[in-house]
Amino acid sequence: MNHPKFKAAAVQAAPVFLDLDKTIDKTIALMEDAARNGAELIAFPETWLPGYPWYAWLDAPAMWLPQYTQRYFDNSLEYGTPQAERISKAAKDNNIVVSMGLSERNGGSLYISQWFIDRDGQTIAQRRKLKPTHVERTIFGEGDGSDLAVWDTRLGRVGGLCCWEHLQPLSKYAMYAQNEQVHVAAWPSFSLYEAGAYALGPEVNTSASRIYAVEGQCFVLAPCATVSQEMVDEMCTTDLQKALLKTGGGYARIFGPDGQQLHESLPAGEEGLIYAEIDLGLISVSKAVGDPAGHYSRPDVTQLIHNKAPRRAVVDTAPPSDPAPAVERTHGADEPALPAMAEL
């Protein structure tokens, strides 16, 4: 049996904050750099485009709404636009699979999203963070159960979660149960509230990525952005704000299915790419010890119900051209009563 082997890259860098076009320029340069170094997959941090909205953590909404709301909305990325096509074309030109973290604009709403783009430039998937964390909910909408998904690719079964989705046990288990092999754990930076909120810092959150690898017996790419001096200058106008948000905070990591870190770390304030060799054949060795959704599970004691049905505010339907008389529908032995619910 042949198991895919390939080189992967994770980004540790700062975006050109609130400038979508310039950040896409930087995105393409990083893709080109990764491809030159032999990477077949590159992963970008949470809301890399157009940068994470740290301002929401630094002041009351009444203070930042007038200054940032429209700018952030206008510089968020919409699917099918020329800016989105630039990224797809770069994936094809560089023969590389891309996991892109972004603020996704859809209608009048924004979502924390991850797009997976194949090496031919085709979008494999667009997933949204199920529950924005804390003050993120003043900016972003929610995903649904269809966003807890794993997709078949040439490189294996690939999936992703954003930031503190890695602290949601049931969401993680839904991913493990889909035989995920390569996971992208997208993080924004770990330089906020350094002395006041240990749970937001690098020890806890890099540990969450490592534990995901061990629990799910999968490879985990954990791209992590940095905060640039330009971002601090833009968002921090008081001494208190400057004390709350520091430069740096980059802790990009790649872990193997046994939890081992597979590379040398970059300094927290340095921009660059980290690389690791991925051998999917190693997954079976780790799963032989404990597969949490397989032989190491106890479904007679605990089970997860995963509702995969998309939940959208508006569903367009058209009446049938030749409507048939209404017939009461019953469920046979082979047809579940709740087809939208999947027991994992």
Side-chain angles (χ1 to χ4, degrees), residues 235-256:
M235 289 180 277
C236 301
T237 58
T238 68
D239 290 341
L240 175 59
Q241 289 172 332
K242 292 174 184 177
L244 294 177
L245 181 66
K246 302 292 184 62
T247 59
Y251 290 84
R253 298 289 187 268
I254 301 177
F255 297 108

CSV table of all heavy atoms in Angstrom, one decimal, residues 235-256:
chain,number,residue,atom,x,y,z
A,235,MET,N,-3.5,50.4,15.9
A,235,MET,CA,-4.6,50.0,16.8
A,235,MET,C,-4.3,50.5,18.2
A,235,MET,O,-5.3,50.6,19.0
A,235,MET,CB,-4.8,48.5,16.8
A,235,MET,CG,-5.4,48.0,15.5
A,235,MET,SD,-5.6,46.2,15.6
A,235,MET,CE,-4.0,45.6,15.1
A,236,CYS,N,-3.1,50.8,18.6
A,236,CYS,CA,-2.8,51.2,20.0
A,236,CYS,C,-2.4,52.7,20.1
A,236,CYS,O,-1.3,53.0,19.7
A,236,CYS,CB,-1.7,50.3,20.5
A,236,CYS,SG,-2.1,48.5,20.5
A,237,THR,N,-3.3,53.5,20.6
A,237,THR,CA,-3.1,54.9,20.7
A,237,THR,C,-2.9,55.3,22.2
A,237,THR,O,-2.5,56.5,22.4
A,237,THR,CB,-4.2,55.7,20.1
A,237,THR,OG1,-5.5,55.3,20.8
A,237,THR,CG2,-4.4,55.4,18.7
A,238,THR,N,-3.1,54.4,23.1
A,238,THR,CA,-2.9,54.8,24.6
A,238,THR,C,-1.9,53.8,25.1
A,238,THR,O,-1.6,52.8,24.6
A,238,THR,CB,-4.3,54.6,25.3
A,238,THR,OG1,-4.6,53.2,25.4
A,238,THR,CG2,-5.4,55.4,24.7
A,239,ASP,N,-1.4,54.2,26.3
A,239,ASP,CA,-0.4,53.4,27.0
A,239,ASP,C,-1.0,52.0,27.4
A,239,ASP,O,-0.3,51.0,27.3
A,239,ASP,CB,0.2,54.1,28.2
A,239,ASP,CG,1.1,55.3,27.8
A,239,ASP,OD1,1.6,55.3,26.7
A,239,ASP,OD2,1.3,56.2,28.7
A,240,LEU,N,-2.2,52.1,27.8
A,240,LEU,CA,-2.9,50.8,28.2
A,240,LEU,C,-3.0,49.9,27.0
A,240,LEU,O,-2.7,48.7,27.1
A,240,LEU,CB,-4.3,51.1,28.8
A,240,LEU,CG,-5.1,49.9,29.1
A,240,LEU,CD1,-4.4,49.0,30.1
A,240,LEU,CD2,-6.5,50.3,29.6
A,241,GLN,N,-3.4,50.4,25.8
A,241,GLN,CA,-3.5,49.5,24.7
A,241,GLN,C,-2.2,49.0,24.2
A,241,GLN,O,-2.1,47.8,23.8
A,241,GLN,CB,-4.2,50.3,23.5
A,241,GLN,CG,-5.6,50.6,23.7
A,241,GLN,CD,-6.2,51.6,22.7
A,241,GLN,OE1,-5.5,52.4,22.1
A,241,GLN,NE2,-7.5,51.5,22.4
A,242,LYS,N,-1.2,49.8,24.3
A,242,LYS,CA,0.2,49.3,24.0
A,242,LYS,C,0.7,48.2,25.0
A,242,LYS,O,1.4,47.3,24.6
A,242,LYS,CB,1.2,50.5,24.0
A,242,LYS,CG,0.9,51.5,22.8
A,242,LYS,CD,1.8,52.7,22.9
A,242,LYS,CE,1.5,53.7,21.8
A,242,LYS,NZ,2.3,54.9,22.0
A,243,ALA,N,0.2,48.3,26.2
A,243,ALA,CA,0.5,47.2,27.1
A,243,ALA,C,-0.2,46.0,26.9
A,243,ALA,O,0.2,44.9,27.2
A,243,ALA,CB,0.3,47.7,28.6
A,244,LEU,N,-1.4,46.1,26.3
A,244,LEU,CA,-2.3,44.9,26.1
A,244,LEU,C,-1.9,44.1,24.8
A,244,LEU,O,-2.0,42.9,24.8
A,244,LEU,CB,-3.7,45.4,25.9
A,244,LEU,CG,-4.4,45.9,27.2
A,244,LEU,CD1,-5.8,46.4,26.9
A,244,LEU,CD2,-4.4,45.0,28.3
A,245,LEU,N,-1.4,44.8,23.8
A,245,LEU,CA,-1.1,44.1,22.5
A,245,LEU,C,0.4,44.4,22.2
A,245,LEU,O,0.8,45.6,22.0
A,245,LEU,CB,-2.0,44.6,21.4
A,245,LEU,CG,-1.7,44.0,20.0
A,245,LEU,CD1,-2.1,42.5,20.0
A,245,LEU,CD2,-2.5,44.7,18.9
A,246,LYS,N,1.2,43.4,22.1
A,246,LYS,CA,2.6,43.5,21.9
A,246,LYS,C,2.9,43.0,20.5
A,246,LYS,O,2.2,42.3,19.8
A,246,LYS,CB,3.4,42.7,22.9
A,246,LYS,CG,3.1,43.0,24.4
A,246,LYS,CD,3.7,44.4,24.7
A,246,LYS,CE,3.5,44.7,26.1
A,246,LYS,NZ,4.2,43.8,27.1
A,247,THR,N,4.1,43.4,20.0
A,247,THR,CA,4.5,42.8,18.7
A,247,THR,C,5.0,41.4,18.9
A,247,THR,O,5.2,40.9,20.0
A,247,THR,CB,5.7,43.7,18.1
A,247,THR,OG1,6.8,43.6,19.1
A,247,THR,CG2,5.3,45.1,17.9
A,248,GLY,N,5.1,40.7,17.8
A,248,GLY,CA,5.5,39.3,17.8
A,248,GLY,C,4.4,38.3,18.0
A,248,GLY,O,3.3,38.5,17.4
A,249,GLY,N,4.6,37.4,18.9
A,249,GLY,CA,3.5,36.4,19.2
A,249,GLY,C,3.4,35.3,18.2
A,249,GLY,O,2.4,34.5,18.2
A,250,GLY,N,4.4,35.1,17.3
A,250,GLY,CA,4.3,34.0,16.3
A,250,GLY,C,4.9,32.7,16.9
A,250,GLY,O,6.0,32.6,17.4
A,251,TYR,N,4.0,31.7,16.9
A,251,TYR,CA,4.4,30.3,17.4
A,251,TYR,C,3.9,29.3,16.4
A,251,TYR,O,3.2,28.3,16.8
A,251,TYR,CB,3.9,30.1,18.8
A,251,TYR,CG,4.5,30.9,19.8
A,251,TYR,CD1,4.1,32.2,20.1
A,251,TYR,CD2,5.6,30.4,20.6
A,251,TYR,CE1,4.7,33.0,21.0
A,251,TYR,CE2,6.2,31.2,21.6
A,251,TYR,CZ,5.7,32.5,21.8
A,251,TYR,OH,6.3,33.3,22.8
A,252,ALA,N,4.3,29.4,15.1
A,252,ALA,CA,3.9,28.4,14.2
A,252,ALA,C,4.5,27.0,14.5
A,252,ALA,O,5.7,27.0,14.9
A,252,ALA,CB,4.3,28.8,12.7
A,253,ARG,N,3.7,26.0,14.3
A,253,ARG,CA,4.2,24.6,14.7
A,253,ARG,C,3.7,23.6,13.7
A,253,ARG,O,2.6,23.8,13.1
A,253,ARG,CB,3.8,24.2,16.1
A,253,ARG,CG,4.3,25.1,17.2
A,253,ARG,CD,5.8,24.9,17.4
A,253,ARG,NE,6.2,25.6,18.6
A,253,ARG,CZ,6.7,26.8,18.6
A,253,ARG,NH1,6.8,27.5,17.5
A,253,ARG,NH2,7.1,27.4,19.7
A,254,ILE,N,4.4,22.5,13.5
A,254,ILE,CA,3.9,21.3,12.8
A,254,ILE,C,4.2,20.1,13.7
A,254,ILE,O,5.3,19.9,14.1
A,254,ILE,CB,4.6,21.1,11.4
A,254,ILE,CG1,4.3,22.4,10.6
A,254,ILE,CG2,4.0,19.9,10.8
A,254,ILE,CD1,5.0,22.3,9.2
A,255,PHE,N,3.1,19.3,14.0
A,255,PHE,CA,3.3,18.2,14.9
A,255,PHE,C,2.9,16.9,14.1
A,255,PHE,O,2.0,16.9,13.2
A,255,PHE,CB,2.3,18.3,16.1
A,255,PHE,CG,2.6,19.5,17.0
A,255,PHE,CD1,1.8,20.6,17.0
A,255,PHE,CD2,3.8,19.4,17.8
A,255,PHE,CE1,2.1,21.6,17.8
A,255,PHE,CE2,4.0,20.5,18.6
A,255,PHE,CZ,3.2,21.6,18.6
A,256,GLY,N,3.6,15.8,14.5
A,256,GLY,CA,3.3,14.5,13.9
A,256,GLY,C,2.2,13.8,14.7
A,256,GLY,O,1.7,14.3,15.8
